Amino acid sequence: MTTTDAATVEKPKIDKAALLKKYIAERDKRLRPDGNAQYLEVKGRLGRYLADPYTPFVERAPKTDHVTFAFVGGGFAGLVTGARLVEAGIDDVRIVEKGGDFGGTWYWNRYPGAQCDTASMIYMPLLEETGHRPIEKYAHAPEILEQCQRIGRQYGLYDNALFHTEIEDISWDDDASRWVIKTNRGDAFTADFIGLGTGPLHVPKLPGIPGIEVFKGHSFHTSRWDYDYTGGDPKGAPLSKLADKRVAIIGTGATAVQCVPHLARACKTLYVMQRTPSSVDVRANAPIDPEWFASIATPGWQQRWLENFTANQAGGMAEEDLVQDGWTDLSRRIRAKIMQLPREDMTPQKMLAAYEDSDFEKMSEIRARVNAIVADTSTAENLKAWYRQLCKRPCFHDAYLQAFNEPSTTLVDTDGKGVERITEKGVVVGGVEYEVDCIIYASGFEVGTEYKRRAGFDLTGRDGLKLSQAWAEGMRSKHGIHVHGFPNAFFVQPTQGANLISNVPHNLTEAGKTIAIMVAHAKANGFKQVEVTQEAQAAWIELLLTGMGRMLGAPDCTPGYYNNEGQDPGPAAKYAVGYPAGATAYFKYLEAWRTSGAFDGVAFS
Ligand code: NDP
């Protein structure tokens, strides 16, 4: 049976009212007044949790030179923008990166089992340009990191890069039409243009659990995995040094879902400390057949796949689904439900109800999957997610639920309250102390905190205007790329552009192409400054606000970073949206905009 058939088969009746009541009751258990403030900023005595376990620090002389383009962040955003700039003839791109190599999130996240959740064929950037064939449908972290390094080498981005370097200040010098960049390594160099690709998930956070500092055993955050302690490696070698260890992992989000199976196999005892269960659907990973790949990898293949995924996933009516994964399945189900409506019932209200129905069905299936896999009935009950699928990051895994059948592994459910206390010896939940040798924090990253705090600096634009001032009442930009008051600066991220969250790299590659064309245009014509006009920016914001608003993390969702931990995100949140006509329409619009040569709304001078 195909998935489309599955969506149309008669399902058992779902009591929507009872389910909604349960969802609200589970959310209410978890709401807390301190919201984001429940988490600890990793600094001071906790600063050791940030140390880079992967690359030794190398002394170097400070840079005091000039480059055409400086980019903050060596993840996908910096790499794809850098590559397009190099193709456009800019041969002095400098990427500044706090990690010891390229990769961004894939540099830091080397925990066992780390893997992409969007299909490799569309998730891994510049596959066609680098000639790399993904090994499997959902690539594991080492392959993705290698792709980042491959891009860095192929486009010569290593030559000028500054690793283990953090920006302290970037200020606009209007007389010289340049940015002045200062770092924590004593660098003070200038650049004609800057790009910012600092990403949303690079500052680890720790839960504010009383006693976190007193634990006498070993501990680390998942984004700084300590293989010296656990044994094994990111490629999947067993974590052999844990055979005699009692380990607690705190958190059950997308990270924990991927590493728990490895820990369950390796530890003498594993306690999985859970506040809110993740929804865990089928993964169905598979190797990519080289012959099949050769047959589809004709010129332009990756762009075709990207566009096809976006058309399937983000509201389009594509007839073919090349990628066939959990994301396109989700959209297909919603579409199938809506298409079943009689023509006269195609009202926004009825369409929303159809969307809700498909969500209730999907989540019921996911809960039934827990029963089918987990042997212990009380553990199975506790692993069920009681919220709409997009309230939290949907997870897909074929070994996570199974891990709870391992004799080593115990789910310690906190009934939504979280870990009570940490002692010198272990972790306390419900008054019971679980003594452990090691605590692993799978507690996620800062998302809802201020941009300035996460980036580590505040951009200073024309006339001393700080980015934090320009965005005090919410983000303002055109295309999510250009911000008035900050000439020659380009932001590389999804918000206020396509806002395609199911495949973030697609947003970045389209921004990268746009920026390269604009910089090449400025250079070819001797323009010194490139800046969006106030009017064009205001018009873009006005257009964005005609859309449906934020889709992720509705206020009635269980708390998490999608909905600002259940707290009122304030008026600024309404600006965290994308192009009203959807991602496919946006990418088409942006391509026409950048290739027209008119760059409507942006002044070159
Ligand atoms: P998350 O923020 O999703 O999860 C943090 C976990 O810590 C949650 O389960 C949270 O519970 C729990 N927690 C926080 N405080 C406490 C406490 N006091 N006691 C017990 N538990 C606590 O972080 P992740 O690192 O898992 O994922 C972050 C994001 O990174 C993902 O959403 C995804 O976007 C990305 N990611 C992507 C992957 C991929 O593409 N393959 C893989 C991994 C991550 P609660 O839910 O109740 O807040």
Side-chain angles (χ1 to χ4, degrees), residues 280 368-376 380 397-403 405:
V280 188
R369 181 171 186 251
V370 182
N371 281 344
I373 294 173
V374 178
D376 178 70
H397 211 284
D398 295 338
Y400 175 72
L401 295 169
Q402 290 79 348
N405 295 334

Side-chain angles (χ1 to χ4, degrees), residues 30 32 38-39 105-106 109 111 113-118 123 139 201 205-209 221-222 249-258 273-278 283 387 392-395 414 416-420 441-445 447 501 558-562 565:
R30 291 167 173 85
R32 39 190 289 169
Q38 69 180 282
Y39 290 102
T105 198
W106 297 104
N109 287 287
Y111 58 83
Q115 189 182 8
C116 61
D117 260 346
T118 299
Y123 182 78
L201 294 165
K205 66 183 190 210
L206 290 169
I209 302 170
H221 187 273
T222 47
I249 181 163
I250 298 183
T252 50
T255 297
V257 165
Q258 295 183 334
M273 305 290 175
Q274 173 180 272
R275 190 165 69 177
T276 310
S278 279
R283 170 72 306 160
Y387 45 79
K392 280 195 176 282
R393 168 79 186 211
C395 297
T414 66
K417 295 185 194 68
V419 168
E420 198 174 302
Y441 292 100
S443 46
F445 303 87
V447 177
I501 302 306
T558 189
Y561 78 82
Y562 276 9
E565 300 296 334

Side-chain angles (χ1 to χ4, degrees), residues 23 163 236 242 287 310 448 471 480 513 551 585:
Y23 284 9
F163 295 117
L242 295 180
T310 305
W471 286 359
K513 286 181 202 165
M551 294 299 283

Side-chain angles (χ1 to χ4, degrees), residues 35-98:
N36 273 312
Q38 69 180 282
Y39 290 102
L40 299 174
E41 192 173 357
V42 185
K43 62 177 188 187
R45 284 167 63 191
L46 297 171
R48 70 169 188 85
Y49 284 99
L50 290 181
D52 181 353
Y54 312 125
T55 313
F57 184 88
V58 180
E59 287 297 343
R60 63 166 175 81
K63 295 281 183 191
T64 52
D65 54 354
H66 177 80
V67 294
T68 302
F69 203 106
F71 199 97
V72 184
F76 282 178
L79 290 166
V80 299
T81 307
R84 295 303 180 209
L85 285 163
V86 170
E87 283 174 351
I90 313 296
D91 58 7
D92 58 342
V93 177
R94 170 170 294 152
I95 295 180
V96 182
E97 165 56 48
K98 72 177 171 180

